[in-house]
């Protein structure tokens, strides 16, 4: 069997303000992949509305994610940046996948269980179907590589299961249509190195999250230099000095988090950071981290603010990206319609 043309796809939900976790866990990883693969980076607005989004906020957040992609260094001319809802084929393939995926598979999704919590009877049907839409995002472009944080690994496994079941269920029809037997590829996750899990600056047991009420828990991608430095200075820590080896961070989640952030921003391992700062207290480490964070993040924030000042450039990028994405998506969908047996 010939291998698939390699292609990268990933997406970020426009729901709330982008923070350091989105940058370190996703966006920063998107940039180097452009050198080796054709890349499609999507603003997944249809995923965002699985929980309530104020319409004006959704538009603003969609522009913000697109601005972050561009400001961080994604090239929208060589690669593709677009918002999901402009390419309606996502919804169409998601429906077909709703009919391929099994209830039991979906019920095992830990992210759904976490998000639904005790409220499972009152969340949207879309939230339950969310991973089937994600599989559609990826397989519409027959993407072979998907860079995501480790919280998304289970969704990628589901994507493989859906691809495999589709290929099996429709094997005869795929063959009759003269298409390759492994019609959908079995997508690989792109495994990231350290610090893909960025924790709250106020509580080392919680994820840094967009929905955290106190603005001090997260560094936002639009924060200016002062805000970045202030939040790092005020971050919760313990009174000990830093250990010189990683093992010494166990049971010290706040310390481990700040070391992880430093390592990710500096492109170093935690071990290397501790070799440099071991034995020093936070009085020395925090200013070094603040300086590094400002150096890496403030220029991106400045560029984002410039792009968001007048959204006409972003709108043109999204429209052009959607047109190019649709060209690929339409090829897949016309094959899928035939394979499924829809009369054309
Ligand atoms: N579910 C992903 C997240 O919450 C976002 C997403 C939607 C995505 N569709 C995708 C990521 C396709 C990668 C590929 O982070």
């Amino acid at each position: 069997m010939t291998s698939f043309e390699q292609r990268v796809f990933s997406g970020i939900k426009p729901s709330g303000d982008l923070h350091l976790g989105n940058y370190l866990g996703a966006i920063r990883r998107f940039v180097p992949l452009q050198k080796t693969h054709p890349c499609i980076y999507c603003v997944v607005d249809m995923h965002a509305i699985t929980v309530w989004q104020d319409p004006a906020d959704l538009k603003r957040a969609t522009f913000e994610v697109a601005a972050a992609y561009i400001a961080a260094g994604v090239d929208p001319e060589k690669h593709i940046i677009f918002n999901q809802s402009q390419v309606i084929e996502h919804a169409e393939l998601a429906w077909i996948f709703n009919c391929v995926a099994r209830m039991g598979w979906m019920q095992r999704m830990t992210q759904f269980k976490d998000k639904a919590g005790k409220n499972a009877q009152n969340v949207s049907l879309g939230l339950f179907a969310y991973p089937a839409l994600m599989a559609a995002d990826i397989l519409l472009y027959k993407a072979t590589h998907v860079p995501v944080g480790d919280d998304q690994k289970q969704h990628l496994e589901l994507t493989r299961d859906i691809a495999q079941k589709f290929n099996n269920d429709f094997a005869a029809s795929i063959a009759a249509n003269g298409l390759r037997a492994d019609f959908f590829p079995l997508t690989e996750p792109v495994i990231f190195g350290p610090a893909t899990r960025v924790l709250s600056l106020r509580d080392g047991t919680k994820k840094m999250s967009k929905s955290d009420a106190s603005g001090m828990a997260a560094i936002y991608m639009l924060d200016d230099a002062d805000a970045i430095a202030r939040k790092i200075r005020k971050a919760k820590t313990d009174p000990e000095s830093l250990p010189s080896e990683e093992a010494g961070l166990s049971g010290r989640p706040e310390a481990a988090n700040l070391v992880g952030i430093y390592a990710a921003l500096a492109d170093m391992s935690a071990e290397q950071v501790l070799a440099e700062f071991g034995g020093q207290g936070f009085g020395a480490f925090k200013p070094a981290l603040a300086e590094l964070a400002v150096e890496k993040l403030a220029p991106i924030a400045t560029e984002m603010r410039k792009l968001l000042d007048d959204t006409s450039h972003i709108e043109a990028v999204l429209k052009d990206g959607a047109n190019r994405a649709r060209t690929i998506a339409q090829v897949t969908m016309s094959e899928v319609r035939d394979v499924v047996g829809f009369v054309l």
Side-chain angles (χ1 to χ4, degrees):
M1 200 79 37
T2 52
S3 60
F4 277 90
E5 190 194 326
Q6 302 217 329
R7 185 181 274 145
V8 168
F9 184 98
S10 196
I12 293 179
K13 277 189 307 254
S15 54
D17 304 318
L18 287 173
H19 57 74
L20 185 62
N22 301 112
Y23 178 67
L24 294 181
I27 298 171
R28 131 188 110 107
R29 312 288 195 166
F30 293 177
V31 177
L33 287 165
Q34 297 178 105
K35 286 203 208 95
T36 48
H37 296 77
C39 298
I40 304 177
Y41 295 126
C42 188
V43 187
V44 288
D45 47 7
M46 288 162 59
H47 276 97
I49 63 162
T50 55
V51 299
W52 170 252
Q53 303 295 329
D54 174 83
D57 289 346
L58 179 62
K59 286 199 174 146
R60 188 193 48 76
T62 298
F63 291 140
E64 186 180 321
V65 175
Y69 287 160
I70 298 167
V74 175
D75 179 346
E77 287 178 10
K78 293 208 184 83
H79 300 271
I80 294 178
I81 295 175
F82 77 108
N83 60 310
Q84 190 180 27
S85 60
Q86 287 206 60
V87 179
I88 203 56
E89 284 77 5
H90 287 255
E92 189 180 1
L93 187 58
W95 178 257
I96 292 170
F97 286 172
N98 282 345
C99 303
V100 172
R102 305 289 91 183
M103 288 295 285
W105 300 359
M106 306 304 279
Q107 277 161 348
R108 279 196 288 278
M109 293 295 114
T110 57
Q111 184 164 317
F112 174 76
K113 288 193 269 189
D114 290 347
K115 284 201 175 175
K118 293 191 195 78
N119 205 23
Q121 293 304 309
N122 202 32
V123 296
S124 73
L125 182 54
L127 189 68
F128 187 65
Y130 178 114
L133 175 59
M134 179 164 162
D137 299 341
I138 295 165
L139 295 176
L140 204 43
Y141 305 97
K142 300 190 177 169
T144 51
H145 293 75
V146 179
V148 280
D150 61 1
D151 62 325
Q152 295 299 310
K153 267 198 201 143
Q154 197 187 27
H155 290 162
L156 288 188
E157 285 158 19
L158 182 90
T159 300
R160 294 169 69 92
D161 290 342
I162 290 176
Q164 196 135 45
K165 184 160 164 50
F166 185 97
N167 292 347
N168 288 340
D169 288 354
F170 293 104
S173 182
I174 288 169
N177 279 284
L179 299 163
R180 54 186 296 165
D182 57 345
F183 178 75
F184 283 124
L186 305 183
T187 304
E188 294 296 335
V190 176
I191 308 292
F192 292 147
T196 55
R197 251 184 218 284
V198 180
L199 304 174
S200 159
L201 297 178
R202 307 300 308 166
D203 177 352
T205 65
K206 294 206 182 104
K207 254 173 78 160
M208 183 176 283
S209 101
K210 317 182 224 202
S211 40
D212 199 299
S214 101
M216 295 300 284
I219 292 172
Y220 294 103
M221 285 192 72
L222 282 168
D223 280 348
D224 61 18
D226 281 353
I228 296 169
R230 179 161 26 91
K231 290 178 187 184
I232 290 174
R233 256 196 335 266
K234 297 239 162 101
K236 187 178 164 200
T237 47
D238 55 42
E240 313 286 313
S241 54
L242 284 171
S244 34
E245 280 173 20
E246 239 186 311
L249 289 173
S250 79
R252 300 177 64 187
E254 284 88 7
N257 187 40
L258 294 185
V259 169
I261 292 171
Y262 191 104
L265 287 170
D267 247 317
M268 289 163 78
S269 67
E271 212 58 60
Q272 288 168 317
V273 176
L274 293 175
E276 197 174 323
F277 289 97
Q280 300 190 36
F282 286 100
F285 183 63
K286 279 181 172 178
L289 176 57
E291 193 184 325
L292 175 65
V294 167
E295 177 198 320
K296 298 281 181 181
L297 301 171
I300 297 175
T302 304
E303 181 63 23
M304 282 175 70
R305 271 186 246 109
K306 213 159 74 193
L307 287 162
L308 291 169
D309 249 4
D310 167 12
T311 55
S312 59
H313 176 66
I314 302 177
E315 286 177 68
V317 164
L318 292 175
K319 181 140 304 296
D320 172 65
N323 287 337
R324 287 186 290 136
R326 198 179 302 113
T327 305
I328 305 168
Q330 282 175 340
V331 173
T332 305
M333 273 326 295
S334 61
E335 292 171 349
V336 166
R337 286 186 210 113
D338 241 342
V339 162
V340 168
F342 291 158
V343 173
L344 303 182

